[in-house]
Amino acid sequence: KDYPEGYGSFDIYISYQTPNGWSERKNLGESINSAYWESAPCLSADKKQLYFASDRPGGYGGSDLYVATKMANGKWSAPRNLGAVINTEGDESCPFIHADNETLYFNSNGHPGIGGTDLFYSKKSANGFLTPQNLGYPINTINDEGSLFVTADATTGYFASDRSDSKGGLDIYVIQ
């Protein structure tokens, strides 16, 4: 607990941009945060769903992807695990729900891939998400890729990787 209002080792907070700058951080509370690790939040374009990663008990692996829905009273619902189609015995993280609110991008070291951690996408269906597809080479390499963000018009993507031509650690790469 880094902050006294925290619930676990890594919590999700929100801050709003105002005419006077950013508001004070606000912990999203115990409906989102637990005594465990919550990270990599991504708010849907319509601001009705919050996707994030957590290693809370009851998942399929080390860290799983979850979604919470904003209720009419402004509070967040209890998070729902995205299930065994998305989550594996490995680690899934860095969810990004595209502006189309139908395409979920994420990284995983549990789905079949090229390297340590690869980037995947999955489309929403009436029954949940479809089988994830690996984004393939040259986006994924034998190294670790993650944190993919795709522009609203789907023409450009930005992702982090520790591939051999990086300047050290994780660098940002662009795909068009």
Side-chain angles (χ1 to χ4, degrees):
K1 291 185 172 183
D2 293 334
Y3 296 111
E5 73 276 13
Y7 293 88
S9 64
F10 213 90
D11 283 2
I12 298 174
Y13 287 74
I14 192 165
S15 178
Y16 298 95
Q17 190 173 23
T18 72
N20 299 322
W22 289 96
S23 68
E24 282 290 317
R25 70 178 184 270
K26 180 181 177 194
N27 189 299
L28 287 183
E30 62 186 341
S31 65
I32 299 297
N33 295 306
S34 71
Y36 297 88
W37 174 86
E38 283 79 33
S39 184
C42 181
L43 191 59
S44 63
D46 62 8
K47 300 179 183 171
K48 293 181 180 179
Q49 295 184 309
L50 177 67
Y51 293 82
F52 64 94
S54 178
D55 67 355
R56 62 184 61 196
Y60 293 87
S63 66
D64 282 6
L65 300 185
Y66 291 82
V67 64
T69 302
K70 192 133 198 197
M71 299 181 294
N73 66 5
K75 296 186 186 261
W76 291 101
S77 69
R80 178 179 54 83
N81 187 295
L82 292 185
V85 170
I86 297 294
N87 294 305
T88 68
E89 292 179 2
D91 293 312
E92 282 68 43
S93 191
C94 302
F96 176 76
I97 189 72
H98 188 262
D100 67 8
N101 206 25
E102 294 182 10
T103 310
L104 176 70
Y105 296 92
F106 63 97
N107 71 11
S108 173
N109 63 13
H111 288 283
I114 297 170
T117 301
D118 281 3
L119 292 167
F120 294 84
Y121 76 93
S122 177
K123 293 282 195 175
K124 272 187 189 176
S125 74
N127 299 321
F129 283 98
L130 301 173
T131 301
Q133 302 298 308
N134 188 300
L135 289 176
Y137 181 84
I139 296 169
N140 289 315
T141 66
I142 61 171
N143 298 298
D144 291 322
E145 280 73 38
S147 301
L148 175 65
F149 295 86
V150 179
T151 57
D153 64 5
T155 61
T156 307
Y158 301 92
F159 67 97
S161 180
D162 65 354
R163 55 186 66 193
S164 61
D165 66 347
S166 75
K167 304 292 184 202
L170 292 171
D171 284 2
I172 304 295
Y173 292 82
V174 64
I175 48 177
Q176 295 179 312

